[in-house]
Amino acid sequence: MVTRGFHGRRRAEVDPARVPPGQYVTRDFPVLSAGPTPRRLAADWTFTIRGAVDEPVVWSFYELRALPATTITTDIHCVTKWSKLDTQWRGVSLDTLLADIDTSADYALAFSDGGYTTNLPLADLTGGQAMIAYEYEGEPLTPEHGGPARLLVPHLYFWKSAKWVRGIELRDDDQPGFWENYGYHNYGDPWKEQRYSGD
């Protein structure tokens, strides 16, 4: 695991009701990954929805940027126990990308450059709960934080917000992803401390 830019400062002035159990607040944005950082140009990036669909749908980075975008301010929580509050992201809601797709799927498997995957119930990607983010704090998303685009699912632990995301496979069955196969919790609710299998 690669870790950079982490200083772990506590912030006593934070409303404790915003911080899930077992977490502490940092002003930094730690960089953690399971391997080297992929560096893909936006011009070479695509996002695909495949699997339990009539035909796969593919967007280029520029086609994605042309879709209606939304900006959100949200708190994020890493399974390694840091939380970062009031982070601002801009991107395209998964509701927009899934709007014209007919599927029987109940689950999704996000896949990324570098072979990373993570699984989620499809219901956790809809209803305004998830986006494909391409800006952070008003700037293009850097490769270290998942650029040119990452999945953002802020109500779950941050490993579910796959960096360097390239698509989502819609599935009728739930297939564990990379960290889930290594013992991380299948769902990952920070408010229930669902860090590891059995939590």
Side-chain angles (χ1 to χ4, degrees):
M1 178 173 289
V2 179
T3 305
R4 293 185 298 278
F6 179 71
H7 302 292
R9 297 178 216 140
R10 293 187 179 270
R11 292 175 62 185
E13 71 275 14
V14 171
D15 178 0
R18 294 180 65 184
V19 184
Q23 298 287 113
Y24 63 88
V25 174
T26 180
R27 290 185 180 95
D28 301 312
F29 194 166
V31 175
L32 299 101
S33 59
T37 297
R39 302 201 178 262
R40 183 176 294 276
L41 297 174
D44 298 328
W45 181 91
T46 58
F47 183 81
T48 302
I49 296 180
R50 67 186 189 197
V53 296
D54 291 335
E55 290 184 14
V57 183
V58 182
W59 293 267
S60 71
F61 184 76
Y62 304 107
E63 289 169 335
L64 184 87
R65 289 289 307 252
L67 294 173
T70 185
T71 300
I72 64 166
T73 300
T74 189
D75 302 339
I76 55 176
H77 310 289
C78 183
V79 71
T80 61
K81 300 192 177 183
W82 60 262
S83 291
K84 186 170 176 61
L85 308 183
D86 298 317
T87 62
Q88 187 185 85
W89 304 84
R90 184 168 179 80
V92 177
S93 170
L94 261 294
D95 295 307
T96 299
L97 298 176
L98 291 165
D100 295 325
I101 294 177
D102 186 29
T103 183
S104 61
D106 290 320
Y107 301 97
L109 185 70
F111 57 93
S112 301
D113 280 330
Y116 183 80
T117 58
T118 191
N119 58 307
L120 306 103
L122 186 56
D124 283 276
L125 297 179
T126 58
Q129 298 181 93
M131 70 163 55
I132 304 302
Y134 50 73
E135 288 183 8
Y136 171 71
E137 300 294 345
E139 298 292 335
L141 193 59
T142 63
E144 290 76 16
H145 291 300
R150 75 178 297 157
L151 178 63
L152 181 68
V153 192
H155 66 283
L156 299 178
Y157 278 126
F158 213 44
W159 91 81
K160 294 289 187 176
S161 293
K163 295 195 284 188
W164 317 298
V165 71
R166 297 301 305 281
I168 292 174
E169 182 176 301
L170 300 179
R171 302 179 58 90
D172 294 320
D173 63 321
D174 190 15
Q175 177 180 318
F178 178 85
W179 285 118
E180 294 82 7
N181 276 312
Y182 280 98
Y184 278 43
H185 197 278
N186 199 54
Y187 185 63
D189 183 342
W191 295 97
K192 296 180 179 177
E193 290 196 86
Q194 293 176 338
R195 303 176 194 279
Y196 306 108
S197 179
D199 286 349

